[in-house]
Amino acid sequence: MAQQPLPTSDLDHILNQTKTLWDEMQHKHLFITGGTGFFGCWLLESFSYINRQLNLNARATVLTRDPSAFAMKCPHLAADPALAFLAGDVRSFSFPDGDFHYIIHAATETSGRQAAEQPLDMLTTIIDGTAHVLRFAQTHATRKLLLTSSGAVYGKQPASLTHIPEDYLGGPDPLDPGSVYAEGKRISEQMCALQSVHSPIEIKIARCFAFVGPHLPLDAHFAIGNFIGDVLAGRPIRINGDGTPMRSYLYASDLAIWLWTMLFRSPDLVPVNVGSGHDLSILELARAVVQSLNASVDIHVAKEVIPGAAIARYVPSVDRARRLLGLNETVDLQEAIRRTAAWYVAEGKGGA
């Protein structure tokens, strides 16, 4: 089923916040991996819109396993002559001809099911994909490359650390099979550092946390997406744990603003957390979804809170993004929830 374009108000906001960055993209060619997922749809649509509004005459080539499937999903993007779609696997795609001055490597595997059932395939996709993209960058005149890494590289966030900074040197347990995604991202960052020793390419590292917005699945392993989906379908919200873990959510228009800013302006090999610093518990999140959407559904919490137990956290410090790049969160959580729900309602997915 074809999905509608993103709201013009969001695209205008991205343009207004990044307008001064785009001069260097005039007549240039961008290569994007992972261009058809949640991140990719926002990056592609904002690129397409800004390219037209500013008359950049830029082009983008998008790697996807199935161009025809994406054309059915987003026909308005498939019809843009500035966008070309290359069929292939990130680990082995054939290099297209020409110079690609900019690369965004956003292809990754985030499926919780795949991590549990096919962890080695997830690991090789992340690692071999990054290696292949770096080889491509070396041979195609790339000047700037943005890697979308993850806050997972920090491992378990200490309960005493409310907001985790980029200089925290903890890490995931390498003997825990559940760390496969995090370890893949850590190795990808290391590969970028090794590449940088012998290359003039500027490599930017975005350590991404949690997000909300149109295109976020409502039936996957994203709590906020599931909660919005429950409310739209009139179902009770069910929290499988005790509701105490702390999270934060950045709206996708801000995500796009941050990623474009990082591609053009972030220093070489300086990791920057991408996310919201406004934290709340999973139970508070469920209540925020209900309140933001003026709903009357019940919230069921499966487990009792254990007194004195350490609270799990996954919340970034965004001080570096603010200080280094002037980035801020411009859409609050309640508005982000409302915009996400409104887009899905317009998609015809607002009922059971």
Side-chain angles (χ1 to χ4, degrees):
M1 179 181 174
Q3 295 183 341
Q4 63 177 339
L6 294 172
T8 302
S9 57
D10 281 339
L11 297 173
D12 277 332
H13 181 57
I14 297 168
L15 168 61
N16 291 334
Q17 292 292 311
T18 63
K19 186 177 290 187
T20 60
L21 304 175
W22 291 92
D23 281 350
E24 64 181 88
M25 183 67 88
Q26 289 273 357
H27 306 289
K28 298 298 192 299
H29 204 158
L30 167 72
F31 189 81
I32 301 180
T33 73
T36 58
F38 172 63
F39 279 32
C41 285
W42 278 87
L43 290 170
L44 272 189
E45 191 148 354
S46 56
F47 170 82
S48 176
Y49 185 78
I50 291 168
N51 190 39
R52 293 193 306 272
Q53 295 297 314
L54 299 184
N55 296 312
L56 297 176
N57 294 307
R59 294 175 295 147
T61 295
V62 186
L63 179 68
T64 174
R65 289 193 180 100
D66 192 343
S68 60
F70 183 71
M72 293 179 65
K73 174 184 174 182
C74 295
H76 58 288
L77 292 178
D80 186 341
L83 303 180
F85 295 86
L86 175 67
D89 187 298
V90 70
R91 295 168 287 190
S92 58
F93 65 91
S94 298
F95 293 170
D97 295 331
D99 293 342
F100 292 83
H101 295 96
Y102 303 90
I103 293 176
I104 298 177
H105 178 35
T108 190
E109 298 290 348
T110 60
S111 165
R113 181 174 180 179
Q114 186 189 34
E117 297 179 1
Q118 297 176 303
L120 284 177
D121 191 52
M122 171 177 276
L123 187 63
T124 59
T125 298
I126 296 172
I127 295 173
D128 294 347
T130 299
H132 202 56
V133 168
L134 289 173
R135 285 191 291 269
F136 175 66
Q138 275 185 299
T139 55
H140 288 72
T142 300
R143 299 175 184 172
K144 297 180 180 181
L145 184 152
L146 174 65
L147 171 72
T148 60
S149 185
S150 170
V153 301
Y154 299 115
K156 185 178 180 181
Q157 184 170 339
S160 59
L161 192 60
T162 61
H163 295 72
I164 198 159
E166 291 87 349
D167 56 6
Y168 175 73
L169 297 179
D173 180 357
L175 298 181
D176 178 5
S179 298
V180 61
Y181 174 76
E183 290 291 357
K185 288 299 188 181
R186 282 169 63 87
I187 295 169
S188 292
E189 289 193 18
Q190 176 73 96
M191 293 166 73
C192 288
L194 296 174
Q195 168 86 17
S196 187
V197 173
H198 306 290
S199 170
I201 300 170
E202 294 180 27
I203 299 180
K204 326 303 180 85
I205 308 292
R207 290 181 178 162
C208 300
F209 280 73
F211 306 94
V212 61
H215 291 295
L216 183 76
L218 303 185
D219 57 357
H221 59 287
F222 307 106
I224 193 166
N226 292 337
F227 294 170
I228 293 171
D230 288 337
V231 168
L232 292 182
R235 297 186 299 261
I237 291 177
R238 300 187 183 279
I239 298 172
N240 293 326
D242 64 6
T244 63
M246 302 296 290
R247 298 290 186 268
S248 64
Y249 298 89
L250 187 70
Y251 185 60
S253 65
D254 283 332
L255 166 66
I257 291 164
W258 288 37
L259 293 180
W260 287 123
T261 302
M262 288 192 63
L263 174 66
F264 294 123
R265 295 284 174 82
S266 200
D268 184 37
L269 287 181
V270 176
V272 176
N273 288 339
V274 178
S276 170
H278 299 288
D279 56 334
L280 75 171
S281 73
I282 293 296
L283 178 56
E284 289 171 334
L285 172 66
R287 290 170 176 162
V289 170
V290 171
Q291 181 179 17
S292 299
L293 301 181
N294 295 314
S296 57
V297 302
D298 294 328
I299 300 171
H300 300 298
V301 182
K303 299 180 180 179
E304 295 287 335
V305 176
I306 301 174
I311 294 176
R313 296 181 181 274
Y314 187 63
V315 181
S317 166
V318 293
D319 289 347
R320 179 175 289 180
R322 186 178 300 113
R323 183 181 68 254
L324 195 64
L325 299 168
L327 293 168
N328 291 286
E329 182 175 0
T330 65
V331 181
D332 66 33
L333 180 61
Q334 289 71 29
E335 179 62 19
I337 291 167
R338 286 191 287 268
R339 292 187 192 183
T340 304
W343 187 81
Y344 273 106
V345 168
E347 281 281 294
K349 298 177 181 178

